[in-house]
Amino acid sequence: MDFLQTLLYPIKLGEAWVMYAWHWLFDTIGLPTGWAWAMSIVGLTVVVRILLIPLFVRQIHSSRRMQLIQPEMQKIQKKYKGKRDPESQKAQQAEIMDLYRRTGTNPFSSCLPILIQSPFFFALFQLLNNLKAIAEGAAAPIGPITRQVAQTIEASTILGAKLSDSFVHSTTLNVKILSAILIVLMSATTFTTQYQLMRKNMPASALDNPFAKQQKVLLYLMPLFFAFSGINFPIGVLLYWLTTNLWTMGQQFYVIRNMPAPGSEAERARRERLQRKGKDVQDFTVPGLDATGDAVPDDAPKSGQRQQPKGKKRARTQPRTQPSKNRR
């Protein structure tokens, strides 16, 4: 835990300064103290998501590459179907890695924005969770969040709730109502984002496989997970999570409309829009992808079976016609 605290401290320090700067701006334009601190969390979320835009663009391109190389991936899987010996498994893995290398595809790129955003989330959770301790002098100040500033934050409210209050650890009705509303909105935006992604931005071939079925299950489980875990989150963290969900939903809508996945319903809609406007449609291509479309033969030997050699067909020769002689 000490190592985690040390690792998150620079992020908490940066978040404290960003929140303090946004609060100064909102306080200058005349917002009440509680709303100024609440809006500073929204401003912090916007700054974090702007910093993640380059990673998001890289994630989109990587996701489209992964969709376009699926036919080649299926060829490799078909080639080694039924082979369980170590040599075949190693050869299959080598061909898959070579396909990733040639096409510049990274299957883990789609996880990068979530993984990089997680430390910001946990750092903000600790920052808001320690406000009471900082205000009471039980915890050290964090950058501009001194004891006096923490006392100001703790004393300020929005709709009768403090930013450090949570649904579970509060008996105030206003806190429970506001927390419940934020949790419902957070779960609804999570579901909407994933639903529009699966309904519009996935090709039909990608929807009929075990991975897609797991995604459908997660589509309904993730909002429930956020609903059950959100009751422990401070209101400030719920504001952060709702804001980042709204940003993701808008960003996803833009991508589905302008950079749809190949073969998806959104791509067909985009083609129709561009054709109505008389514009050329440029297909997304992957450098290094074998576009020959050669099929893998089905007669690949199974593991543990011996393949019998096939003999060559002998050429048939036409018999010579002998001239007939009349015998007397």
Side-chain angles (χ1 to χ4, degrees):
M1 291 299 296
D2 291 338
F3 173 76
L4 182 62
Q5 294 286 345
T6 304
L7 188 64
L8 292 178
Y9 182 79
I11 301 177
K12 285 194 292 185
L13 182 62
E15 288 180 341
W17 277 108
V18 172
M19 283 181 57
Y20 190 79
W22 278 110
H23 174 265
W24 174 85
L25 176 63
F26 292 124
D27 186 59
T28 302
I29 63 178
L31 281 181
T33 303
W35 284 101
W37 282 111
M39 292 304 297
S40 69
I41 295 176
V42 175
L44 170 65
T45 309
V46 172
V47 171
V48 172
R49 295 310 301 264
I50 289 175
L51 293 176
L52 290 177
I53 285 178
L55 284 176
F56 177 77
V57 174
R58 185 176 179 181
Q59 173 195 2
I60 293 301
H61 286 287
S62 178
S63 177
R64 298 173 80 184
R65 287 192 183 97
M66 284 295 297
Q67 290 167 343
L68 286 178
I69 69 172
Q70 284 307 304
E72 291 296 322
M73 185 74 70
Q74 292 172 1
K75 290 180 184 179
I76 297 174
Q77 293 171 350
K78 184 178 179 182
K79 178 179 178 181
Y80 293 95
K81 183 179 180 181
K83 298 182 180 181
R84 296 292 182 264
D85 56 288
E87 291 79 9
S88 298
Q89 293 293 312
K90 186 177 180 180
Q92 180 182 8
Q93 190 64 25
E95 290 193 28
I96 292 175
M97 296 305 296
D98 180 67
L99 178 63
Y100 288 153
R101 180 188 57 80
R102 287 188 288 108
T103 57
T105 306
N106 185 357
F108 301 105
S109 294
S110 58
C111 302
L112 278 178
I114 298 176
L115 293 177
I116 292 179
Q117 188 179 346
S118 297
F120 292 92
F121 173 77
F122 289 118
L124 180 63
F125 181 87
Q126 290 187 0
L127 177 63
L128 296 175
N129 217 31
N130 291 333
L131 283 177
K132 186 176 181 180
I134 296 174
E136 295 175 352
I142 301 176
I145 309 298
T146 61
R147 183 177 181 179
Q148 183 179 0
V149 173
Q151 290 173 349
T152 304
I153 299 174
E154 276 292 293
S156 61
T157 60
I158 54 169
L159 301 177
K162 299 178 182 179
L163 294 177
S164 58
D165 287 337
S166 63
F167 186 92
V168 172
H169 301 97
S170 178
T171 57
T172 307
L173 182 60
N174 288 358
V175 174
K176 291 188 177 297
I177 293 176
L178 181 58
S179 298
I181 292 174
L182 291 175
I183 290 171
V184 170
L185 291 175
M186 183 178 67
S187 302
T189 50
T190 301
F191 177 82
T192 304
T193 301
Q194 295 299 319
Y195 181 75
Q196 72 173 354
L197 176 65
M198 294 190 66
R199 188 170 66 90
K200 295 183 178 180
N201 203 41
M202 290 185 69
S205 58
L207 293 174
D208 190 19
N209 59 63
F211 178 75
K213 294 178 181 178
Q214 293 176 3
Q215 291 293 102
K216 290 180 181 179
V217 174
L218 290 176
L219 175 65
Y220 295 96
L221 289 182
M222 286 298 289
L224 295 177
F225 169 77
F226 283 120
F228 285 113
S229 60
I231 59 177
N232 295 296
F233 293 164
I235 287 178
V237 174
L238 293 177
L239 280 173
Y240 174 89
W241 204 253
L242 175 60
T243 305
T244 196
N245 279 2
L246 290 172
W247 180 286
T248 301
M249 190 167 61
Q251 196 169 243
Q252 194 74 264
F253 177 80
Y254 174 84
V255 169
I256 291 174
R257 181 176 175 82
N258 298 283
M259 300 173 61
S264 64
E265 179 185 341
E267 186 193 34
R268 290 191 293 271
R270 180 174 179 270
R271 285 179 178 273
E272 292 175 358
R273 288 197 307 269
L274 293 177
Q275 288 173 357
R276 285 196 299 266
K277 296 178 180 179
K279 296 182 179 180
D280 295 332
V281 180
Q282 296 182 352
D283 294 329
F284 181 80
T285 58
V286 179
L289 182 63
D290 183 14
T292 57
D294 296 334
V296 178
D298 291 332
D299 58 349
K302 307 293 183 182
S303 177
Q305 294 181 353
R306 183 177 178 183
Q307 187 181 18
Q308 298 295 332
K310 298 180 181 180
K312 297 181 178 180
K313 295 182 179 180
R314 296 180 179 178
R316 295 181 180 180
T317 56
Q318 298 292 335
R320 295 181 179 180
T321 304
Q322 299 293 334
S324 59
K325 294 182 181 180
N326 294 328
R327 293 182 180 181
R328 295 179 181 178

